[in-house]
Amino acid sequence: MQQKKIVVVGGVAGGASFAARMRRLDEFAEIVLLEKGPYISFANCGLPYYVGGVIQNKEALIIQSPEKLKSVFNIDVRIQNEVTGIDTKAKSVTVKNLLTGETYREDYDYLVLSPGAQPIRPPIPGINESPVFTVRNIPDVDAITEHVRSNRPKNAVIVGGGFIGLEMADNLYELGINITIVEKAPQIIGTMDYDMAAVVAGHLLAKGVSLYLEDGVAAFANEAGTTEVILESGRRLNADLVILALGVKPDTGFLQGSGIELGQRGSIKVNASLETNVPGIYALGDAAEVIDFNSGLPTLVPLAGPANKQGRIVADNIAGLQKTFKGTQGTAIVKIFDLTVASTGSNERSLQERKVEYLTAVTVPTSHSAYYPGSALLWVKVHFSPAGKILGAQIVGEKGVDKRIDVLATALRQGLTVCDLQELELAYAPPYGAAKDPVNMVGYIAENMLAGRMKTVYLHDLAEGKDDVFILDVRENWEVEKGKIEGSCHIPLGSLRDRLQELPKDKDIIVVCQIGQRAYVASCILQQRGYRAKVLAGGYRHYAAVNETLAAIKKA
C-alpha cells in the first residue's frame, strides 16, 4: 500500500479532529500539521470564561499538545509555522517558521485546509493607540487578563452585541467592571428574532449594563491612559478596556492566487465531500463555505460542533469511506448573565429575505411544574411552514433551555413536523419539566393554528394596527393590576359568556392572557358565537418583556 502524505493547515478544532481520525483510519499515512499560533487543539469557546476566572487554569483549555499528538497519534505537529502560499500544480505549500524566520516548502499528496477565522478589526481612527482587544485565541485572552490584572479597569466598552461580545460582557461583569455594549444593528444577537433579542436586552439592562443600539464607533481617543470611545452619534464613552467583537471572517489571505475557488468573505468553496475545486485539497471549519441545511444556500457558520464533524468526514473521504456533509443548521447556545439563549434553523429575517411563507408559535411557560419550587420562565418561539415543516426555533430562559433546543434541533434535522412535537414522549418529573412539556405545547399550539382553530397575531401586528382592533384582556383582576396593554378591555375569562354584549362584532378582537392558553379558550368561545377573535402570541408576558425593554432603551 502506497503511503500518503497529508498536510493539514490549522490545528485547532477541525484540523486536530481530522488528524486524529485520519491516524485511526490509516496507521501508515504521513501527517504533518502546521499551525501558525503557539497552541493547537484548544477550547476557544472557553476563552471568555478564562478571562472571568470561571476557568482558572489555562492548561484546562488545551485539549491536546504537540507532544501528545506525536506520541499517541504519530503526527508531526509544527506550531508557529505559518503557511503563506500554495502551489497546487507542484502540490506543495510554502511555510514560514515564525520562530526562526526560515521559509521552506512542504510537499503533499492531500492538503486539508482548516485555517479558521480571524476577528474583524476595522481601521477605526485611534484603534492601534488604545487598549482595544479581540478574542480569538489564548494569546488574546492572556493579553486581556494581563491588562485587567495590571490596570484594574473600572469601565469596559464591548463593541458588538453578538455571542462573543455578550459572553465577554458577562465575564467582565463578574470581575466587578462596569459594562457598556455598543451595537450598530437595531438589536443585539443578530441570529435571534427582534422580540427574542429584546427579552435578552431587558435582562442586560436589569443588570445595570448600558446598551447603545443603532450606533457604531467612529474613533478612539487615548489621552493620559484613558480611552474615549467616540460613537457615530457623537456620544463619548470613557473606557479602561475595549473588547472588539464585531464578528469574524475566514483567515484565507494565503490562498490568493492559488487557484482554489473562494466564496463569500473569502471563504473556501467546497462540495458535499468537503473537497475544493482542486482535487485532493479539502477544507473545513470556520473558513469553509458549506450548505445551510435549512435553505440549501451557501453559508458560513463558525461553530466548533460542525468543524469537528467536518474533520471526521474529510478523514473518512481521504481514507476512501465516501462520506458527505449534509449541511449545518446553525444550532447555537450561549450563557448571558442569568439567561441561556439558544437557537436552531432559520430566523424571521432569513425567512423573509428568502420569501418563505411561515407561521410562528410563541409560548412563555415555566421550565418545570410551577408548583415545584425554583421554576423559571422560558420564552419559546418556533417557525414552521403552512405544511408543518419546522423551519427554526429560539428559546430564552434561566433553566431548561438546553434540553428543549436540542429536542427541537433534532426534530428539525430529522424532518419531523411541528405537529409531531405533540407526540414526543419526554422525561417528566416536577423538578425537571411538566406533563405537557414546552416542546409538546408548541406542537399543540401549531396544530390549532394549522387547523384554523386559533388565529394568531404578533407583537408587530399589534403595534401597527392597535387603533383598528379591540383588545380583550381575559386575565384575573390581580394580574391586570400589575400591568396591562394600554386601551385594552378587561373581562376575566370566567365572566366572558355573561358579558358578550360588551364586545364588538365589527372589529377584530385581540385576546390577551398571561401566556396564551386562556386567550385560546376565550377565542374558541368568541369564534363559535360569531366574533372575529384572534390570540396575541406569547400573551402579556411576552408583550411586557419586549415593550418594557424597548421603552428603557429609548429612554437611555
Side-chain angles (χ1 to χ4, degrees), residues 6-27 29-34 40-41 64 69 72-77 112 114 284 307-308 310-312 314-316 318:
I6 305 165
V7 171
V8 186
V9 181
V12 188
S17 177
F18 162 81
R21 172 69 171 173
M22 192 71 236
R23 175 57 74 224
R24 291 193 294 270
L25 296 174
D26 188 341
E27 173 63 18
E30 181 184 355
I31 305 173
V32 179
L33 191 154
L34 304 168
I40 61 159
S41 192
Q64 293 279 10
L69 278 186
V72 175
F73 294 101
N74 191 26
I75 295 168
D76 180 2
V77 179
V112 177
S114 182
L284 56 95
N308 278 282
Q310 292 162 18
R312 185 181 179 92
V314 171
D316 287 355
I318 292 177

Side-chain angles (χ1 to χ4, degrees), residues 377 473 475-486 488 490 514 518 540-541 543-545 548:
L377 295 180
D473 192 326
R475 294 177 298 155
E476 297 300 317
N477 291 331
W478 66 268
E479 294 173 292
V480 174
E481 288 172 2
K482 294 182 178 181
K484 66 175 187 175
I485 298 175
E486 185 180 352
S488 62
H490 175 226
Q514 199 71 352
R518 286 171 289 172
Y540 184 76
R541 274 184 188 166
Y543 173 89
E548 287 170 9

Side-chain angles (χ1 to χ4, degrees), residues 60-219:
L61 296 172
I62 301 171
I63 299 165
Q64 293 279 10
S65 67
E67 295 76 19
K68 189 172 181 180
L69 278 186
K70 177 63 178 175
S71 64
V72 175
F73 294 101
N74 191 26
I75 295 168
D76 180 2
V77 179
R78 305 174 195 172
I79 59 174
Q80 295 186 279
N81 275 247
E82 180 181 8
V83 174
T84 58
I86 299 174
D87 187 334
T88 57
K89 293 182 179 178
K91 300 187 80 170
S92 69
V93 296
T94 303
V95 188
K96 182 177 181 180
N97 186 318
L98 300 179
L99 294 174
T100 66
E102 170 198 6
T103 298
Y104 63 95
R105 297 175 74 85
E106 193 72 38
D107 297 331
Y108 62 83
D109 297 312
Y110 293 92
L111 180 63
V112 177
L113 302 173
S114 182
Q118 58 182 332
I120 295 171
R121 191 178 173 95
I124 300 172
I127 192 170
N128 295 323
E129 289 76 46
S130 304
V132 178
F133 300 89
T134 55
V135 184
R136 178 180 186 256
N137 52 36
I138 290 177
D140 287 345
V141 295
D142 279 341
I144 295 170
T145 53
E146 174 58 27
H147 179 84
V148 171
R149 186 190 66 80
S150 301
N151 298 280
R152 300 191 181 280
K154 295 180 180 178
N155 301 297
V157 172
I158 314 288
V159 185
F163 279 7
I164 291 295
L166 294 176
E167 283 181 316
M168 288 301 300
D170 182 356
N171 281 277
L172 292 172
Y173 178 91
E174 291 299 323
L175 298 177
I177 300 173
N178 299 318
I179 305 296
T180 297
I181 297 173
V182 177
E183 170 56 60
K184 196 164 186 176
Q187 67 175 76
I188 57 173
I189 321 177
T191 55
M192 303 288 285
D193 292 342
Y194 186 82
D195 55 341
M196 298 294 273
V199 173
V200 183
H203 183 65
L204 294 175
L205 294 172
K207 289 289 186 179
V209 173
S210 298
L211 188 59
Y212 296 102
L213 300 177
E214 297 187 85
D215 211 348
V217 177

Side-chain angles (χ1 to χ4, degrees), residues 34 87 132 143 159 161 211 225 244 266 273 329 331 403 409 416 440 459 470 474 477 486 515 525:
L34 304 168
D87 187 334
V132 178
V159 185
L211 188 59
L244 212 59
S273 299
Q329 64 200 68
T331 305
K403 69 176 183 176
L416 298 185
N440 300 135
L459 296 184
F470 185 90
V474 297
N477 291 331
E486 185 180 352
I515 66 171
I525 295 171

